[in-house]
Amino acid sequence: MKYNNYLFKILIFFLIFIGAFHAYSGVLSIYLFYNEYLNETNIFSFESWREYASNSSQFIISKFLIKLGINLNSDFYFFSIFFIFGLLALYYVNKIVLEFLEIEDFYERVIIVFCVLFCNSVVLKSINAAVFPPSFNLQTALAIQLIYPLIYFSLSKKWITASIISSLMIITHFVVAWLPVTVFGFFLILKNKFKNKNILLLLIPFLTFILIYIVNKNLFINNSNSVELIEEIFRRSA
């Protein structure tokens, strides 16, 4: 029996790997050029484009990884990061099902988890929320995969960790992050009702958003209208 369970778990891992590889789209479209520019800043000359790529907070994660010597246009590196963070998200999906849905049977959990692995409409119809989302850039994939650790630590009432994760999501991709982070904020407020100092932890994602706003407000945005950036963010996320 133990031998059969071991083989079954190997089969599950193999199916997860194949499914992740199938969902993986690689780096496509303009992100190829962004990654090449961040890796070698002398290859493009259009000043406005260079300014955006150099100063936008959208590429903080990319710049950090490039500093580590990771070529984000390499499918080997991109898929490895995509798969590892997908496994991390999968781990927390399993913990949510086990601890909060109280489904202890391993095979039942496998069925539920597999439904979340590749189904983009598992949360809301118009929101990509698969553990392995079909995305064309690293920021989008990582932000989506961080949703499940955020849900787990929110339900566990580990507010500090959840606040840090929400901030990482904002830094990684605000268009993906704004809805789950907003839901987390309301959930924290409802659970603490302004009577607990935990409510102050909302300052972590809020100050992160303010910082991101300040960094980006002068990039292709009319300074006479300070709300234009926020409007553009929500227009893109519609």
Side-chain angles (χ1 to χ4, degrees):
M1 181 64 69
K2 290 183 178 179
Y3 181 73
N4 290 337
N5 287 338
Y6 181 72
L7 288 178
F8 183 68
K9 290 178 181 179
I10 292 177
L11 176 62
I12 290 175
F13 181 84
F14 178 74
L15 291 176
I16 291 171
F17 181 84
I18 295 298
F21 189 79
H22 177 73
Y24 174 73
S25 301
V27 183
L28 299 179
S29 186
I30 196 171
Y31 297 102
L32 284 166
F33 298 103
Y34 282 135
N35 292 337
E36 287 297 330
Y37 171 76
L38 294 173
N39 192 51
E40 181 52 65
T41 57
N42 296 321
I43 61 176
F44 295 111
S45 59
F46 185 51
E47 190 58 36
S48 295
W49 193 89
R50 286 164 55 93
E51 180 184 1
Y52 175 76
S54 298
N55 299 326
S56 174
S57 63
Q58 178 181 353
F59 304 105
I60 291 177
I61 301 297
S62 299
K63 291 175 183 177
F64 173 74
L65 294 174
I66 288 173
K67 289 290 185 183
L68 296 178
I70 296 175
N71 179 5
L72 295 180
N73 282 341
S74 167
D75 286 324
F76 174 78
Y77 287 113
F78 191 176
F79 179 75
S80 297
I81 297 171
F82 176 77
F83 186 64
I84 290 170
F85 274 84
L87 291 179
L88 177 68
L90 177 62
Y91 172 77
Y92 283 106
V93 171
N94 180 63
K95 287 180 72 68
I96 291 169
V97 174
L98 176 62
E99 296 180 19
F100 298 103
L101 299 183
E102 298 182 349
I103 298 176
E104 297 184 358
D105 185 83
F106 175 76
Y107 300 101
E108 292 178 5
R109 295 205 311 274
V110 168
I111 294 172
I112 296 173
V113 167
F114 262 89
C115 291
V116 181
L117 278 177
F118 313 108
C119 180
N120 274 321
S121 303
V122 68
V123 177
L124 292 174
K125 182 177 180 180
S126 60
I127 295 178
N128 291 334
V131 168
F132 294 106
S135 59
F136 301 148
N137 66 91
L138 183 65
Q139 293 91 333
T140 301
L142 293 185
I144 292 173
Q145 289 168 337
L146 285 172
I147 290 174
Y148 295 101
L150 177 64
I151 293 173
Y152 174 77
F153 287 111
S154 297
L155 293 176
S156 301
K157 299 180 183 179
K158 297 179 180 178
W159 305 119
I160 295 178
T161 305
S163 296
I164 292 173
I165 292 174
S166 66
S167 297
L168 289 175
M169 291 178 64
I170 291 172
I171 292 171
T172 304
H173 203 310
F174 181 78
V175 174
V176 174
W178 73 267
L179 180 57
V181 172
T182 301
V183 172
F184 158 68
F186 280 115
F187 183 72
L188 190 154
I189 291 172
L190 288 173
K191 288 297 181 179
N192 291 275
K193 303 182 184 301
F194 295 101
K195 298 178 181 179
N196 193 302
K197 63 181 180 180
N198 286 328
I199 206 75
L200 296 176
L201 292 172
L202 285 177
L203 288 174
I204 298 176
F206 178 74
L207 292 176
T208 301
F209 169 74
I210 295 298
L211 177 62
I212 296 299
Y213 176 80
I214 292 172
V215 169
N216 289 279
K217 69 176 182 178
N218 293 322
L219 297 175
F220 304 113
I221 299 298
N222 183 355
N223 290 330
S224 64
N225 186 358
S226 60
V227 182
E228 187 175 347
L229 175 61
I230 299 177
E231 291 178 346
E232 179 63 22
I233 289 171
F234 282 93
R235 189 178 301 116
R236 287 182 59 198
S237 63

